[in-house]
Coordinates of all heavy atoms in Angstrom, one line a residue:
R297 N -18.8 47.3 -32.7 CA -18.3 48.5 -32.2 C -18.2 49.6 -33.3 O -17.6 49.3 -34.4 CB -16.8 48.3 -31.6 CG -16.8 47.4 -30.3 CD -17.5 48.1 -29.2 NE -17.2 47.5 -27.9 CZ -18.1 46.9 -27.2 NH1 -19.4 46.9 -27.6 NH2 -17.8 46.3 -26.0
T298 N -18.6 50.8 -33.0 CA -18.5 51.9 -33.8 C -17.3 52.7 -33.4 O -17.3 53.3 -32.2 CB -19.7 52.8 -33.9 OG1 -20.8 52.0 -34.4 CG2 -19.5 54.0 -34.8
V299 N -16.2 52.8 -34.1 CA -14.9 53.4 -33.7 C -14.8 54.7 -34.3 O -14.6 54.8 -35.6 CB -13.8 52.4 -34.1 CG1 -12.5 53.0 -33.5 CG2 -14.0 51.0 -33.6
P300 N -14.8 55.8 -33.6 CA -14.5 57.2 -34.1 C -13.1 57.2 -34.7 O -12.2 56.7 -34.2 CB -14.6 58.1 -32.9 CG -15.4 57.3 -31.9 CD -15.1 55.9 -32.1
L301 N -13.0 57.9 -35.9 CA -11.7 58.1 -36.6 C -11.3 59.5 -36.5 O -12.2 60.4 -36.6 CB -11.8 57.6 -38.0 CG -12.1 56.1 -38.2 CD1 -12.3 55.8 -39.7 CD2 -11.0 55.2 -37.6
Y302 N -10.0 59.8 -36.4 CA -9.5 61.1 -36.3 C -8.1 61.2 -36.9 O -7.4 60.1 -37.0 CB -9.6 61.7 -34.9 CG -8.8 60.8 -33.9 CD1 -7.4 61.0 -33.7 CD2 -9.4 59.8 -33.2 CE1 -6.7 60.2 -32.8 CE2 -8.7 59.0 -32.3 CZ -7.4 59.2 -32.2 OH -6.7 58.4 -31.3
K303 N -7.6 62.4 -37.3 CA -6.3 62.5 -37.7 C -5.6 63.7 -37.0 O -6.3 64.7 -36.7 CB -6.2 62.7 -39.2 CG -6.9 63.9 -39.8 CD -6.8 64.0 -41.3 CE -7.4 65.2 -41.8 NZ -7.3 65.3 -43.3
P304 N -4.3 63.7 -36.8 CA -3.7 64.8 -36.1 C -3.6 66.0 -37.0 O -3.5 65.9 -38.2 CB -2.3 64.3 -35.7 CG -2.1 63.2 -36.8 CD -3.4 62.6 -37.1
L305 N -3.6 67.2 -36.4 CA -3.4 68.5 -37.1 C -2.0 69.0 -36.9 O -1.4 68.8 -35.9 CB -4.4 69.5 -36.6 CG -5.9 69.2 -36.8 CD1 -6.7 70.3 -36.1 CD2 -6.2 69.2 -38.3
S306 N -1.5 69.7 -37.9 CA -0.2 70.3 -37.9 C -0.2 71.4 -36.8 O -1.2 72.0 -36.5 CB 0.2 70.9 -39.2 OG 0.2 69.8 -40.2
A307 N 1.0 71.7 -36.4 CA 1.2 72.7 -35.3 C 0.9 74.1 -35.7 O 0.5 75.0 -34.9 CB 2.6 72.6 -34.7
S308 N 1.0 74.4 -37.0 CA 0.8 75.8 -37.5 C 0.1 75.8 -38.9 O 0.1 74.8 -39.5 CB 2.1 76.6 -37.6 OG 2.9 76.0 -38.6
V309 N -0.5 77.0 -39.2 CA -1.2 77.1 -40.5 C -0.2 76.9 -41.6 O -0.5 76.3 -42.7 CB -1.9 78.4 -40.6 CG1 -2.5 78.6 -42.0 CG2 -2.9 78.6 -39.5
A310 N 1.0 77.4 -41.5 CA 2.1 77.3 -42.5 C 2.4 75.9 -42.7 O 2.6 75.4 -43.9 CB 3.3 78.1 -42.1
Q311 N 2.6 75.1 -41.7 CA 2.9 73.7 -41.8 C 1.7 72.9 -42.4 O 2.0 72.0 -43.2 CB 3.2 73.1 -40.4 CG 3.7 71.7 -40.4 CD 5.0 71.6 -41.2 OE1 5.9 72.4 -40.9 NE2 5.1 70.6 -42.1
Q312 N 0.5 73.3 -42.1 CA -0.6 72.7 -42.8 C -0.7 72.9 -44.3 O -1.0 72.0 -45.0 CB -1.9 73.2 -42.2 CG -2.2 72.8 -40.7 CD -3.5 73.4 -40.2 OE1 -4.5 73.6 -41.0 NE2 -3.6 73.6 -38.9
F313 N -0.3 74.1 -44.7 CA -0.2 74.4 -46.1 C 0.9 73.6 -46.8 O 0.7 73.0 -47.9 CB 0.1 75.9 -46.3 CG 0.2 76.3 -47.8 CD1 -0.9 76.4 -48.6 CD2 1.4 76.6 -48.3 CE1 -0.8 76.8 -49.9 CE2 1.6 76.9 -49.7 CZ 0.5 77.0 -50.5
I314 N 2.0 73.5 -46.2 CA 3.1 72.7 -46.8 C 2.7 71.3 -46.8 O 3.0 70.6 -47.9 CB 4.4 72.9 -45.9 CG1 4.9 74.3 -45.9 CG2 5.5 71.9 -46.3 CD1 6.1 74.6 -45.0
N315 N 2.1 70.7 -45.8 CA 1.7 69.4 -45.9 C 0.6 69.1 -46.9 O 0.6 68.0 -47.6 CB 1.0 69.0 -44.5 CG 2.0 68.9 -43.4 OD1 3.3 68.8 -43.7 ND2 1.6 69.0 -42.2
W316 N -0.3 70.1 -47.2 CA -1.3 70.0 -48.2 C -0.6 70.0 -49.6 O -1.0 69.2 -50.5 CB -2.3 71.1 -48.1 CG -3.3 71.1 -49.2 CD1 -4.4 70.3 -49.3 CD2 -3.3 72.0 -50.4 NE1 -5.1 70.6 -50.5 CE2 -4.5 71.6 -51.1 CE3 -2.5 73.0 -50.9 CZ2 -4.8 72.2 -52.4 CZ3 -2.8 73.6 -52.0 CH2 -4.0 73.2 -52.8
V317 N 0.4 70.8 -49.8 CA 1.0 70.9 -51.1 C 1.8 69.6 -51.4 O 1.8 69.1 -52.5 CB 2.0 72.1 -51.2 CG1 2.9 72.1 -52.4 CG2 1.2 73.4 -51.1
T318 N 2.5 69.1 -50.4 CA 3.3 67.9 -50.6 C 2.5 66.6 -50.5 O 3.0 65.6 -50.8 CB 4.4 67.9 -49.5 OG1 3.8 67.9 -48.2 CG2 5.4 69.1 -49.6
G319 N 1.2 66.7 -50.1 CA 0.4 65.5 -50.0 C 0.8 64.6 -48.8 O 0.5 63.4 -48.8
R320 N 1.5 65.2 -47.8 CA 1.9 64.5 -46.6 C 1.4 65.1 -45.4 O 2.1 65.9 -44.7 CB 3.4 64.3 -46.6 CG 4.0 63.5 -47.7 CD 5.5 63.3 -47.5 NE 5.8 62.5 -46.4 CZ 5.7 61.2 -46.3 NH1 5.4 60.5 -47.4 NH2 6.0 60.5 -45.2
P321 N 0.1 64.9 -45.0 CA -0.4 65.5 -43.8 C 0.2 64.9 -42.5 O 1.0 63.9 -42.6 CB -1.9 65.1 -43.8 CG -1.9 63.9 -44.6 CD -0.8 64.0 -45.7
A322 N 0.0 65.6 -41.4 CA 0.6 65.1 -40.2 C 0.2 63.7 -39.8 O -1.0 63.3 -40.0 CB 0.2 66.1 -39.0
E323 N 1.1 63.0 -39.3 CA 0.9 61.6 -38.9 C 1.5 61.3 -37.5 O 2.4 62.0 -37.1 CB 1.5 60.5 -39.9 CG 0.9 60.6 -41.2 CD 1.4 59.4 -42.1 OE1 1.7 58.3 -41.6 OE2 1.6 59.7 -43.3
F324 N 1.1 60.3 -36.8 CA 1.7 59.9 -35.6 C 3.0 59.1 -35.9 O 2.9 58.2 -36.8 CB 0.8 59.1 -34.7 CG -0.4 59.8 -34.2 CD1 -1.7 59.2 -34.3 CD2 -0.3 61.0 -33.6 CE1 -2.8 59.8 -33.8 CE2 -1.4 61.7 -33.1 CZ -2.6 61.1 -33.2
S325 N 4.1 59.5 -35.3 CA 5.4 58.8 -35.6 C 5.3 57.3 -35.1 O 5.8 56.4 -35.6 CB 6.5 59.5 -34.9 OG 6.3 59.6 -33.5
N326 N 4.4 57.1 -34.1 CA 4.2 55.7 -33.6 C 2.8 55.4 -33.8 O 1.8 56.0 -33.3 CB 4.5 55.7 -32.1 CG 4.3 54.3 -31.5 OD1 3.9 53.3 -32.2 ND2 4.5 54.1 -30.2
P327 N 2.5 54.4 -34.8 CA 1.1 54.1 -35.1 C 0.3 53.5 -33.9 O -1.0 53.5 -34.0 CB 1.3 53.0 -36.2 CG 2.6 52.5 -36.0 CD 3.5 53.6 -35.5
K328 N 0.9 53.2 -32.8 CA 0.3 52.7 -31.6 C -0.1 53.7 -30.6 O -0.6 53.5 -29.6 CB 1.1 51.6 -30.9 CG 1.3 50.3 -31.8 CD 2.1 49.3 -31.1 CE 2.4 48.1 -32.0 NZ 3.2 47.0 -31.3
F329 N 0.2 55.0 -31.0 CA 0.0 56.1 -30.2 C -1.5 56.3 -29.7 O -1.8 56.7 -28.6 CB 0.4 57.4 -30.8 CG 0.2 58.7 -30.0 CD1 1.0 59.0 -29.0 CD2 -0.9 59.5 -30.3 CE1 0.9 60.2 -28.2 CE2 -1.1 60.7 -29.6 CZ -0.3 61.0 -28.5
P330 N -2.5 56.0 -30.6 CA -3.9 56.1 -30.2 C -4.2 55.3 -28.9 O -5.2 55.6 -28.3 CB -4.7 55.6 -31.4 CG -3.8 56.0 -32.5 CD -2.4 55.7 -32.0
A331 N -3.5 54.2 -28.6 CA -3.8 53.4 -27.5 C -3.1 53.8 -26.2 O -3.2 53.2 -25.2 CB -3.4 51.9 -27.8
M332 N -2.3 54.9 -26.4 CA -1.5 55.4 -25.2 C -2.1 56.6 -24.6 O -2.8 57.3 -25.3 CB 0.0 55.7 -25.7 CG 0.7 54.5 -26.3 SD 2.3 55.0 -27.0 CE 2.9 53.4 -27.7
G333 N -1.8 56.9 -23.3 CA -2.3 58.0 -22.7 C -1.3 59.2 -22.6 O -1.7 60.3 -22.6
E334 N 0.0 58.9 -22.6 CA 1.0 59.9 -22.5 C 1.0 60.8 -23.7 O 1.1 60.3 -24.9 CB 2.3 59.2 -22.3 CG 3.5 60.2 -22.0 CD 4.8 59.5 -21.8 OE1 4.8 58.3 -21.7 OE2 5.8 60.2 -21.6
G335 N 1.0 62.1 -23.6 CA 1.1 63.0 -24.6 C -0.2 63.4 -25.3 O -0.2 64.3 -26.2
R336 N -1.3 62.7 -25.0 CA -2.6 63.0 -25.6 C -3.1 64.4 -25.3 O -3.8 64.9 -26.1 CB -3.6 61.9 -25.2 CG -3.3 60.5 -25.6 CD -3.4 60.3 -27.1 NE -4.8 60.5 -27.5 CZ -5.7 59.5 -27.5 NH1 -5.4 58.3 -27.1 NH2 -6.9 59.7 -27.9
E337 N -2.8 64.9 -24.2 CA -3.3 66.3 -23.8 C -2.8 67.4 -24.6 O -3.4 68.5 -24.7 CB -3.1 66.5 -22.3 CG -1.6 66.8 -22.0 CD -0.8 65.5 -21.8 OE1 -1.4 64.4 -21.9 OE2 0.4 65.6 -21.5
V338 N -1.7 67.2 -25.3 CA -1.1 68.3 -26.2 C -1.2 67.9 -27.6 O -0.6 68.7 -28.5 CB 0.4 68.5 -25.8 CG1 0.5 69.0 -24.4 CG2 1.2 67.2 -26.0
T339 N -2.0 66.9 -28.0 CA -2.2 66.6 -29.4 C -3.5 67.1 -29.9 O -4.6 66.9 -29.4 CB -2.2 65.0 -29.5 OG1 -1.0 64.5 -29.0 CG2 -2.3 64.6 -31.0
R340 N -3.4 67.8 -31.0 CA -4.6 68.4 -31.7 C -5.1 67.5 -32.8 O -4.2 67.0 -33.6 CB -4.4 69.8 -32.3 CG -3.9 70.8 -31.2 CD -3.5 72.1 -31.8 NE -4.5 72.8 -32.7 CZ -4.4 73.0 -34.0 NH1 -3.3 72.7 -34.6 NH2 -5.4 73.6 -34.7
V341 N -6.3 67.1 -32.8 CA -6.8 66.2 -33.8 C -8.1 66.7 -34.5 O -8.8 67.6 -33.9 CB -7.1 64.8 -33.2 CG1 -5.8 64.2 -32.7 CG2 -8.2 64.8 -32.2
Q342 N -8.5 66.1 -35.6 CA -9.7 66.5 -36.3 C -10.5 65.2 -36.6 O -9.9 64.2 -37.1 CB -9.3 67.2 -37.6 CG -10.5 67.6 -38.5 CD -10.1 68.1 -39.8 OE1 -9.0 68.0 -40.3 NE2 -11.0 68.9 -40.4
S343 N -11.8 65.2 -36.3 CA -12.6 64.1 -36.6 C -12.8 63.9 -38.1 O -13.0 64.8 -38.9 CB -14.0 64.3 -36.0 OG -14.9 63.2 -36.3
T344 N -12.7 62.6 -38.6 CA -12.8 62.3 -40.1 C -13.9 61.4 -40.4 O -14.3 61.3 -41.6 CB -11.5 61.8 -40.6 OG1 -11.1 60.5 -39.8 CG2 -10.3 62.7 -40.4
G345 N -14.5 60.7 -39.4 CA -15.5 59.7 -39.7 C -15.5 58.6 -38.6 O -15.2 58.8 -37.5
H346 N -16.0 57.4 -39.0 CA -16.0 56.3 -38.1 C -15.8 55.0 -38.9 O -16.0 54.9 -40.1 CB -17.3 56.3 -37.3 CG -18.5 56.0 -38.1 ND1 -19.2 57.0 -38.8 CD2 -19.1 54.8 -38.4 CE1 -20.3 56.4 -39.4 NE2 -20.2 55.1 -39.2

Side-chain angles (χ1 to χ4, degrees):
R297 293 290 194 247
T298 299
V299 186
L301 299 176
Y302 56 87
K303 63 180 181 180
L305 294 175
S306 301
S308 65
V309 176
Q311 188 63 48
Q312 290 181 28
F313 177 75
I314 294 174
N315 292 342
W316 177 77
V317 171
T318 59
R320 296 187 62 85
E323 296 184 38
F324 294 135
S325 58
N326 182 359
K328 297 180 180 180
F329 179 79
M332 303 176 182
E334 185 177 356
R336 295 290 295 273
E337 69 278 1
V338 296
T339 304
R340 298 172 60 240
V341 299
Q342 177 185 22
S343 176
T344 59
H346 68 272

